[in-house]
Amino acid sequence: MANTSENSIIKRAKEKAPPYARYAFMNPYNLSLIAGAGAAAMATGHWWLALIAGAGEAVWMLFAPDSTLLRRTWFDKVWNGEQIVERKRRQAAKFSALPDAEKERALALRGVQTRIEKMAQDNPSFSVDLLSGELGKLEDLVDDFLDLATVCARYDKYLASFNLEELEADLRRYQLQVEKLPVGDERRTVAQKNLQVLLSRKDRYKDLRKSLQTARGQMDLMENTFRLLADEIISMREASELGHRLEDLRDGVNAVREAARETERMFSSFGQTTSR
């Protein structure tokens, strides 16, 4: 059986446009033939060898990139391999940027993923093709987990630098000025503006804490679901049971991801407003 954690990567690769022309030209076999023909022509002085090689190369490049047989047996495999390598590179970059605690969680999740895949392959009720498709979703969820961990780390860093006590003290100070100073006093007007900005900052702080708690809750759900699947998968009768669980989990992740984007848009908008 092929490595099931790579199936989702291959599926996504097929949705893009592989550079078939590059694969047809930039491969060791084609380049060796071109170099060999050129060297032979120079060594013998028979330049017609180079002309024949050039004509053959033109025919090759005309038909090879569109060849269904070559795509299926060669080019698509190269493309899928490149996508797998690229995904692993992205995952490694995300992982290396995480705090140690998040790294430990990601490693533990990867370990459970490996156990699920092993136990699923040992389940005689699962067909090979269907199993490969469902288990491929696990790799997507590992990607999602790393994304959520990255978001949480960024939010934690910001919240750690946020001095809520100082903000509350400023709020009380400006509120007192607004209450004591007479209407029309320039100092009261400025105090009201400061109060409005500080209240907006406090709202953004609350929004960010809420988003952080939601993201962490989703990460917990992913970990718990992975562990539950590891407990149950040996007794599942159909691979679709696994697939439905994973799809529901991804729906939750997508909702959290969209909420995080909305939170960041609000922060960006707030930053632009206060900088004017």
Side-chain angles (χ1 to χ4, degrees):
M1 180 183 297
N3 187 343
T4 51
S5 66
E6 297 177 354
N7 287 289
S8 178
I9 307 174
I10 294 173
K11 181 179 178 182
R12 287 186 177 183
K14 291 179 180 178
E15 297 174 355
K16 301 179 182 179
Y20 292 122
R22 176 166 65 84
Y23 294 153
F25 182 76
M26 296 296 295
N27 66 78
Y29 307 105
N30 188 56
L31 295 177
S32 294
L33 288 172
I34 294 174
M42 291 180 64
T44 63
H46 296 160
W47 297 107
W48 55 270
L49 292 174
L51 292 175
I52 292 175
E57 181 66 17
V59 173
W60 168 257
M61 292 303 300
L62 180 62
F63 294 104
D66 296 324
S67 170
T68 302
L69 177 62
L70 288 174
R71 288 185 179 187
R72 185 175 64 252
T73 61
W74 183 4
F75 298 152
D76 285 343
K77 292 180 180 180
V78 175
W79 171 246
N80 293 336
E82 289 181 353
Q83 296 307 299
I84 291 170
V85 170
E86 175 59 21
R87 174 179 243 187
K88 290 180 178 179
R89 184 197 63 77
R90 291 196 305 267
Q91 287 181 344
K94 294 175 186 176
F95 179 82
S96 64
L98 293 176
D100 289 342
E102 303 298 347
K103 287 181 179 177
E104 291 180 6
R105 295 181 69 178
L107 287 174
L109 191 74
R110 179 69 82 182
V112 180
Q113 176 197 5
T114 302
R115 185 153 58 96
I116 291 173
E117 291 177 348
K118 176 62 170 62
M119 296 177 70
Q121 292 170 16
D122 293 338
N123 188 329
S125 301
F126 294 170
S127 65
V128 173
D129 292 340
L130 186 57
L131 177 62
S132 297
E134 300 301 352
L135 287 183
K137 298 173 184 176
L138 288 170
E139 192 68 19
D140 289 331
L141 285 165
V142 171
D143 264 348
D144 293 335
F145 189 88
L146 289 172
D147 288 339
L148 290 179
T150 300
V151 168
C152 289
R154 186 165 65 250
Y155 287 180
D156 274 332
K157 184 177 180 180
Y158 174 80
L159 291 173
S161 68
F162 194 98
N163 193 328
L164 184 60
E165 292 183 359
E166 182 179 290
L167 184 142
E168 294 282 6
D170 287 340
L171 279 171
R172 290 191 295 271
R173 178 163 57 88
Y174 285 115
Q175 181 64 47
L176 188 62
Q177 290 182 25
V178 169
E179 292 172 355
K180 288 187 173 182
L181 293 171
V183 176
D185 190 308
E186 185 67 21
R187 293 172 296 173
R188 187 177 191 273
T189 301
V190 173
Q192 286 177 322
K193 291 181 179 180
N194 275 296
L195 190 60
Q196 182 179 3
V197 170
L198 291 172
L199 287 172
S200 295
R201 288 193 65 204
K202 187 175 181 179
D203 288 341
R204 297 297 179 268
Y205 174 84
K206 291 180 179 178
D207 290 339
L208 194 59
R209 284 197 62 85
K210 181 180 178 181
S211 294
L212 175 61
Q213 292 166 354
T214 302
R216 289 212 176 280
Q218 186 64 42
M219 290 174 66
D220 292 342
L221 180 60
M222 294 171 75
E223 291 171 322
N224 289 328
T225 302
F226 268 48
R227 295 188 188 107
L228 179 61
L229 289 173
D231 295 337
E232 294 183 340
I233 196 166
I234 197 67
S235 61
M236 285 184 179
R237 295 182 178 180
E238 296 181 0
S240 58
E241 295 181 50
L242 172 65
H244 292 328
R245 292 278 188 89
L246 298 179
E247 287 170 4
D248 290 343
L249 204 52
R250 289 218 78 197
D251 288 342
V253 171
N254 289 333
V256 173
R257 183 183 285 113
E258 182 55 38
R261 290 192 186 117
E262 182 61 30
T263 298
E264 293 185 2
R265 281 195 291 268
M266 287 192 303
F267 268 83
S268 176
S269 175
F270 175 73
Q272 293 174 0
T273 301
T274 55
S275 63
R276 291 172 185 171

